[in-house]
Amino acid sequence: TVLLELKSIDRRYDEGSRKLTILDAADFVLHHGEMVALVAPSGAGKSTLLHTAGLLEWPDAGDVILNGRACGRLSDDERTAIRRNDIGFVYQFHHLLPEFTALENVMMPQLVRGLKPAQARERAMQLLDYMKIGARAEHRPAELSGGEQQRVAIARAVANGPLLLLADEPTGNLDPATASYVFDALEALVRQSGLSALIATHNHELAARMDRRVTLAEGKVVELP
Ligand code: ADP
Ligand code: ADP
């Protein structure tokens, strides 16, 4: 069954006098439990597509349907609620809060959502253990390696039990061995929790391990072999 559908998405940016067309009637479908790689050169529109799918930016035309819900007619507050509860984001750089520990960083989205601290702590610890970083729970981001930071960022992204994980070059800042290790943990988490994921990556080895690969060409999402 379909989790996410992007329907005829247009996205243009003004560049001085001319319009830059990034997405041009782009269609895309992500099924429940699928892991799809988004592989395209820099500037092709990967971030734009991920931000559109994640309801962080709204397109010039088209609609985003998440779990059967057409998001085009929702208010900003409703979209924010969906982002908080149903969507997790991971970036190339971890964006963890520097003054808080790994554990606190993973607890944070749950506290914002209104969970009791004891519950948030238990779930955060489970996720850190699952990402094999439980031993580093009390450390701040600056005391962790790049791979460890990304594993915490991934744990934080799924802390609220989202349906959809969106990742923009999640291993792009890591050496190949670390990238592979972090991706192993990410993949295990996605599979174990029945999440669906769209992951932009330049790493062809990792892309090959996903269920499908797509690229962007002339503003459209195109399947790769
Ligand atoms: P990618 O993630 O594939 O590198 P992006 O989605 O970030 O691509 O950007 C696609 C194109 O759109 C780029 O040429 C970029 O310069 C342009 N772009 C992105 N955001 C904006 C913006 N807010 N204003 C103008 N141009 C933008
Ligand atoms: P608030 O002002 O309450 O933080 P936002 O609309 O800024 O509300 O964010 C709501 C949720 O959307 C956040 O919890 C966060 O997960 C996500 N979010 C907002 N902006 C971004 C962004 N630039 N990148 C990734 N996630 C974001």
Side-chain angles (χ1 to χ4, degrees):
T1 56
V2 173
L3 174 72
L4 168 74
E5 186 176 5
L6 303 184
K7 269 184 124 160
S8 203
I9 303 287
D10 287 354
R11 191 73 168 93
R12 292 183 198 84
Y13 295 117
D14 285 315
E15 261 223 331
S17 55
R18 65 190 194 96
K19 286 239 179 201
L20 193 62
T21 298
I22 306 303
L23 299 174
D24 184 10
D27 293 315
F28 174 68
V29 167
L30 184 71
H31 299 94
H32 277 279
E34 244 187 341
M35 255 181 121
V36 174
L38 175 58
V39 187
S42 257
K46 297 183 298 295
S47 301
T48 301
L49 190 79
L50 289 169
H51 285 166
T52 303
L55 310 181
L56 287 167
E57 4 181 322
W58 197 250
D60 300 304
D63 205 350
V64 178
I65 297 154
L66 184 64
N67 213 19
R69 204 162 173 209
C71 297
R73 292 197 197 143
L74 300 181
S75 67
D76 284 348
D77 283 353
E78 288 171 315
R79 282 185 206 158
T80 298
I82 292 177
R83 277 205 306 276
R84 267 198 202 134
N85 300 328
D86 297 336
I87 305 175
F89 294 90
V90 182
Y91 290 92
Q92 180 170 359
F93 299 98
H94 57 79
H95 293 300
L96 297 170
L97 297 170
E99 65 273 34
F100 293 98
T101 65
L103 181 68
E104 288 164 343
N105 268 280
V106 181
M107 289 172 67
M108 203 73 67
Q110 304 175 79
L111 298 177
V112 168
R113 197 183 175 180
L115 251 79
K116 294 211 169 69
Q119 278 176 294
R121 177 177 291 271
E122 190 181 338
R123 163 126 178 112
M125 210 51 232
Q126 277 171 358
L127 285 168
L128 289 172
D129 281 338
Y130 199 85
M131 296 303 287
K132 298 194 168 56
I133 197 168
R136 312 288 275 157
E138 301 298 340
H139 291 264
R140 292 185 189 179
E143 299 163 341
L144 303 175
S145 71
E148 289 173 338
Q149 290 167 346
Q150 283 305 76
R151 281 185 278 152
V152 176
I154 292 163
R156 180 184 55 176
V158 302
N160 277 338
L163 303 167
L164 173 64
L165 183 69
L166 298 170
D168 201 345
E169 298 279 358
T171 62
N173 192 39
L174 307 174
D175 65 75
T178 306
S180 179
Y181 186 77
V182 169
F183 185 80
D184 286 346
L186 171 65
E187 185 178 27
L189 188 67
V190 167
R191 300 299 188 195
Q192 181 258 355
S193 49
L195 263 167
S196 311
L198 178 60
I199 301 176
T201 181
H202 284 297
N203 187 324
H204 289 274
E205 206 175 302
L206 301 185
R209 288 169 50 184
M210 296 191 222
D211 301 317
R212 277 195 292 141
R213 285 143 292 284
V214 297
T215 191
L216 285 161
E218 293 177 6
K220 306 231 191 292
V221 182
V222 180
E223 296 284 326
L224 287 169

